[in-house]
Amino acid sequence: MWKTASALCLLSIIVFSFACAKKRIELPDYEGVDVRDVLSSRRNIKSIETTFSVTFERDDTEVKGEGVLNISKNGDMSMRVYSFGFLVFQITSEDGTVRSAPEVDRSRGALLTYGLRDCFFWWDLEDFEVEEKTDHYLLDNSMRKLWMNGKTMLPFKQSVALSDGRELIMYYEQPDKSGDIWYPSKIRIELSKYAVILKIREILFESAV
């Protein structure tokens, strides 16, 4: 009886250990593929819907919440942020007109509109030059720079020059997959004294018909 109980206990521990083990993700391997072809394969994506956890940072202050974002390739977007189930922030951008409640200053508005658009549609880059490094590519045009892993062809850093001379910096981590599309599931966007950290929970890529 004790042997049976011990065996069942051991089996339960093994099953529990496997259930709790972190899922191993086989990352994509695009080594030898032209980086321009990889970018072109995503150009049919017209909009992205996602839910995420978010942290807003300013100096030594942090504000955390949960968010819902719908953003289009043309820059139109709508984002809502909740804390403890209550709507605490909302921002929309349509045809270049930005509205938010509560209102935000210019820096935060740029970070949450231009920043999110270029952040999620990182592949939508035109008239760029490609510089091949040892283990990554640097794509560069007059406004944006994009650093991509040479094997996975996923971004790990991007910078966007704003018209007033400031620069948006984005960092990408933790690759994940939705359907056949790979994406970074953790993103940090920085501008001046502000930073936004997104951890993607669910994401949907909608392609043009």
Side-chain angles (χ1 to χ4, degrees), residues 4-21:
T4 302
S6 299
L8 289 174
C9 181
L10 179 60
L11 180 60
S12 298
I13 293 173
I14 292 173
V15 171
F16 180 77
S17 298
F18 274 103
C20 295

PDB file of all heavy atoms in Angstrom, residues 4-21:
ATOM      1  N   THR A   4       2.508   1.733  -3.272  1.00  0.00           N
ATOM      2  CA  THR A   4       1.565   2.274  -4.265  1.00  0.00           C
ATOM      3  C   THR A   4       1.356   3.764  -4.059  1.00  0.00           C
ATOM      4  O   THR A   4       1.356   4.560  -5.006  1.00  0.00           O
ATOM      5  CB  THR A   4       0.210   1.553  -4.168  1.00  0.00           C
ATOM      6  OG1 THR A   4       0.411   0.156  -4.376  1.00  0.00           O
ATOM      7  CG2 THR A   4      -0.754   2.087  -5.221  1.00  0.00           C
ATOM      8  N   ALA A   5       1.190   4.162  -2.786  1.00  0.00           N
ATOM      9  CA  ALA A   5       0.986   5.578  -2.468  1.00  0.00           C
ATOM     10  C   ALA A   5       2.203   6.395  -2.859  1.00  0.00           C
ATOM     11  O   ALA A   5       2.084   7.498  -3.400  1.00  0.00           O
ATOM     12  CB  ALA A   5       0.689   5.738  -0.979  1.00  0.00           C
ATOM     13  N   SER A   6       3.408   5.852  -2.580  1.00  0.00           N
ATOM     14  CA  SER A   6       4.640   6.568  -2.924  1.00  0.00           C
ATOM     15  C   SER A   6       4.776   6.722  -4.427  1.00  0.00           C
ATOM     16  O   SER A   6       5.182   7.775  -4.935  1.00  0.00           O
ATOM     17  CB  SER A   6       5.857   5.818  -2.366  1.00  0.00           C
ATOM     18  OG  SER A   6       5.795   5.741  -0.970  1.00  0.00           O
ATOM     19  N   ALA A   7       4.426   5.646  -5.157  1.00  0.00           N
ATOM     20  CA  ALA A   7       4.521   5.697  -6.620  1.00  0.00           C
ATOM     21  C   ALA A   7       3.559   6.731  -7.184  1.00  0.00           C
ATOM     22  O   ALA A   7       3.899   7.494  -8.090  1.00  0.00           O
ATOM     23  CB  ALA A   7       4.220   4.319  -7.206  1.00  0.00           C
ATOM     24  N   LEU A   8       2.335   6.768  -6.635  1.00  0.00           N
ATOM     25  CA  LEU A   8       1.349   7.746  -7.099  1.00  0.00           C
ATOM     26  C   LEU A   8       1.801   9.165  -6.785  1.00  0.00           C
ATOM     27  O   LEU A   8       1.610  10.092  -7.584  1.00  0.00           O
ATOM     28  CB  LEU A   8      -0.015   7.476  -6.448  1.00  0.00           C
ATOM     29  CG  LEU A   8      -0.747   6.216  -6.934  1.00  0.00           C
ATOM     30  CD1 LEU A   8      -2.003   5.980  -6.103  1.00  0.00           C
ATOM     31  CD2 LEU A   8      -1.115   6.349  -8.416  1.00  0.00           C
ATOM     32  N   CYS A   9       2.410   9.337  -5.607  1.00  0.00           N
ATOM     33  CA  CYS A   9       2.908  10.657  -5.213  1.00  0.00           C
ATOM     34  C   CYS A   9       4.012  11.122  -6.150  1.00  0.00           C
ATOM     35  O   CYS A   9       4.040  12.265  -6.602  1.00  0.00           O
ATOM     36  CB  CYS A   9       3.413  10.610  -3.770  1.00  0.00           C
ATOM     37  SG  CYS A   9       4.023  12.204  -3.171  1.00  0.00           S
ATOM     38  N   LEU A  10       4.943  10.198  -6.472  1.00  0.00           N
ATOM     39  CA  LEU A  10       6.037  10.517  -7.380  1.00  0.00           C
ATOM     40  C   LEU A  10       5.515  10.855  -8.763  1.00  0.00           C
ATOM     41  O   LEU A  10       5.962  11.820  -9.396  1.00  0.00           O
ATOM     42  CB  LEU A  10       7.003   9.327  -7.453  1.00  0.00           C
ATOM     43  CG  LEU A  10       8.206   9.490  -8.401  1.00  0.00           C
ATOM     44  CD1 LEU A  10       9.052  10.689  -7.969  1.00  0.00           C
ATOM     45  CD2 LEU A  10       9.046   8.215  -8.414  1.00  0.00           C
ATOM     46  N   LEU A  11       4.516  10.066  -9.222  1.00  0.00           N
ATOM     47  CA  LEU A  11       3.923  10.330 -10.537  1.00  0.00           C
ATOM     48  C   LEU A  11       3.262  11.699 -10.564  1.00  0.00           C
ATOM     49  O   LEU A  11       3.372  12.446 -11.538  1.00  0.00           O
ATOM     50  CB  LEU A  11       2.889   9.243 -10.860  1.00  0.00           C
ATOM     51  CG  LEU A  11       2.172   9.379 -12.222  1.00  0.00           C
ATOM     52  CD1 LEU A  11       3.186   9.328 -13.357  1.00  0.00           C
ATOM     53  CD2 LEU A  11       1.135   8.276 -12.385  1.00  0.00           C
ATOM     54  N   SER A  12       2.584  12.071  -9.466  1.00  0.00           N
ATOM     55  CA  SER A  12       1.919  13.369  -9.388  1.00  0.00           C
ATOM     56  C   SER A  12       2.933  14.503  -9.457  1.00  0.00           C
ATOM     57  O   SER A  12       2.714  15.520 -10.121  1.00  0.00           O
ATOM     58  CB  SER A  12       1.109  13.485  -8.092  1.00  0.00           C
ATOM     59  OG  SER A  12       0.095  12.501  -8.053  1.00  0.00           O
ATOM     60  N   ILE A  13       4.062  14.325  -8.781  1.00  0.00           N
ATOM     61  CA  ILE A  13       5.117  15.346  -8.790  1.00  0.00           C
ATOM     62  C   ILE A  13       5.679  15.522 -10.188  1.00  0.00           C
ATOM     63  O   ILE A  13       5.897  16.646 -10.660  1.00  0.00           O
ATOM     64  CB  ILE A  13       6.239  14.973  -7.792  1.00  0.00           C
ATOM     65  CG1 ILE A  13       5.705  15.045  -6.362  1.00  0.00           C
ATOM     66  CG2 ILE A  13       7.442  15.892  -7.976  1.00  0.00           C
ATOM     67  CD1 ILE A  13       6.675  14.539  -5.323  1.00  0.00           C
ATOM     68  N   ILE A  14       5.902  14.405 -10.889  1.00  0.00           N
ATOM     69  CA  ILE A  14       6.451  14.466 -12.243  1.00  0.00           C
ATOM     70  C   ILE A  14       5.481  15.175 -13.184  1.00  0.00           C
ATOM     71  O   ILE A  14       5.869  16.041 -13.968  1.00  0.00           O
ATOM     72  CB  ILE A  14       6.764  13.042 -12.756  1.00  0.00           C
ATOM     73  CG1 ILE A  14       7.917  12.441 -11.952  1.00  0.00           C
ATOM     74  CG2 ILE A  14       7.113  13.079 -14.250  1.00  0.00           C
ATOM     75  CD1 ILE A  14       8.188  10.982 -12.263  1.00  0.00           C
ATOM     76  N   VAL A  15       4.192  14.789 -13.099  1.00  0.00           N
ATOM     77  CA  VAL A  15       3.182  15.416 -13.958  1.00  0.00           C
ATOM     78  C   VAL A  15       3.084  16.905 -13.666  1.00  0.00           C
ATOM     79  O   VAL A  15       3.022  17.741 -14.574  1.00  0.00           O
ATOM     80  CB  VAL A  15       1.804  14.743 -13.755  1.00  0.00           C
ATOM     81  CG1 VAL A  15       0.708  15.538 -14.469  1.00  0.00           C
ATOM     82  CG2 VAL A  15       1.848  13.313 -14.255  1.00  0.00           C
ATOM     83  N   PHE A  16       3.104  17.269 -12.378  1.00  0.00           N
ATOM     84  CA  PHE A  16       3.018  18.678 -11.989  1.00  0.00           C
ATOM     85  C   PHE A  16       4.226  19.455 -12.497  1.00  0.00           C
ATOM     86  O   PHE A  16       4.093  20.586 -12.972  1.00  0.00           O
ATOM     87  CB  PHE A  16       2.923  18.774 -10.468  1.00  0.00           C
ATOM     88  CG  PHE A  16       2.827  20.184  -9.968  1.00  0.00           C
ATOM     89  CD1 PHE A  16       1.626  20.879 -10.048  1.00  0.00           C
ATOM     90  CD2 PHE A  16       3.937  20.826  -9.432  1.00  0.00           C
ATOM     91  CE1 PHE A  16       1.519  22.185  -9.585  1.00  0.00           C
ATOM     92  CE2 PHE A  16       3.848  22.129  -8.977  1.00  0.00           C
ATOM     93  CZ  PHE A  16       2.637  22.813  -9.046  1.00  0.00           C
ATOM     94  N   SER A  17       5.402  18.821 -12.423  1.00  0.00           N
ATOM     95  CA  SER A  17       6.622  19.490 -12.879  1.00  0.00           C
ATOM     96  C   SER A  17       6.567  19.769 -14.369  1.00  0.00           C
ATOM     97  O   SER A  17       6.938  20.845 -14.836  1.00  0.00           O
ATOM     98  CB  SER A  17       7.852  18.634 -12.551  1.00  0.00           C
ATOM     99  OG  SER A  17       7.973  18.452 -11.158  1.00  0.00           O
ATOM    100  N   PHE A  18       6.091  18.808 -15.154  1.00  0.00           N
ATOM    101  CA  PHE A  18       5.985  19.009 -16.596  1.00  0.00           C
ATOM    102  C   PHE A  18       4.936  20.074 -16.921  1.00  0.00           C
ATOM    103  O   PHE A  18       5.097  20.867 -17.835  1.00  0.00           O
ATOM    104  CB  PHE A  18       5.622  17.698 -17.296  1.00  0.00           C
ATOM    105  CG  PHE A  18       6.821  16.857 -17.618  1.00  0.00           C
ATOM    106  CD1 PHE A  18       7.126  15.742 -16.844  1.00  0.00           C
ATOM    107  CD2 PHE A  18       7.658  17.181 -18.674  1.00  0.00           C
ATOM    108  CE1 PHE A  18       8.234  14.968 -17.126  1.00  0.00           C
ATOM    109  CE2 PHE A  18       8.767  16.411 -18.971  1.00  0.00           C
ATOM    110  CZ  PHE A  18       9.062  15.294 -18.197  1.00  0.00           C
ATOM    111  N   ALA A  19       3.848  20.082 -16.140  1.00  0.00           N
ATOM    112  CA  ALA A  19       2.788  21.066 -16.390  1.00  0.00           C
ATOM    113  C   ALA A  19       3.255  22.473 -16.102  1.00  0.00           C
ATOM    114  O   ALA A  19       2.846  23.431 -16.762  1.00  0.00           O
ATOM    115  CB  ALA A  19       1.569  20.734 -15.524  1.00  0.00           C
ATOM    116  N   CYS A  20       4.136  22.614 -15.110  1.00  0.00           N
ATOM    117  CA  CYS A  20       4.617  23.939 -14.723  1.00  0.00           C
ATOM    118  C   CYS A  20       5.846  24.373 -15.501  1.00  0.00           C
ATOM    119  O   CYS A  20       6.264  25.518 -15.402  1.00  0.00           O
ATOM    120  CB  CYS A  20       4.953  23.963 -13.222  1.00  0.00           C
ATOM    121  SG  CYS A  20       3.485  23.734 -12.180  1.00  0.00           S
ATOM    122  N   ALA A  21       6.467  23.442 -16.217  1.00  0.00           N
ATOM    123  CA  ALA A  21       7.682  23.781 -16.968  1.00  0.00           C
ATOM    124  C   ALA A  21       7.363  24.811 -18.034  1.00  0.00           C
ATOM    125  O   ALA A  21       6.317  24.780 -18.666  1.00  0.00           O
ATOM    126  CB  ALA A  21       8.258  22.526 -17.610  1.00  0.00           C
TER     127      ALA A  21
END
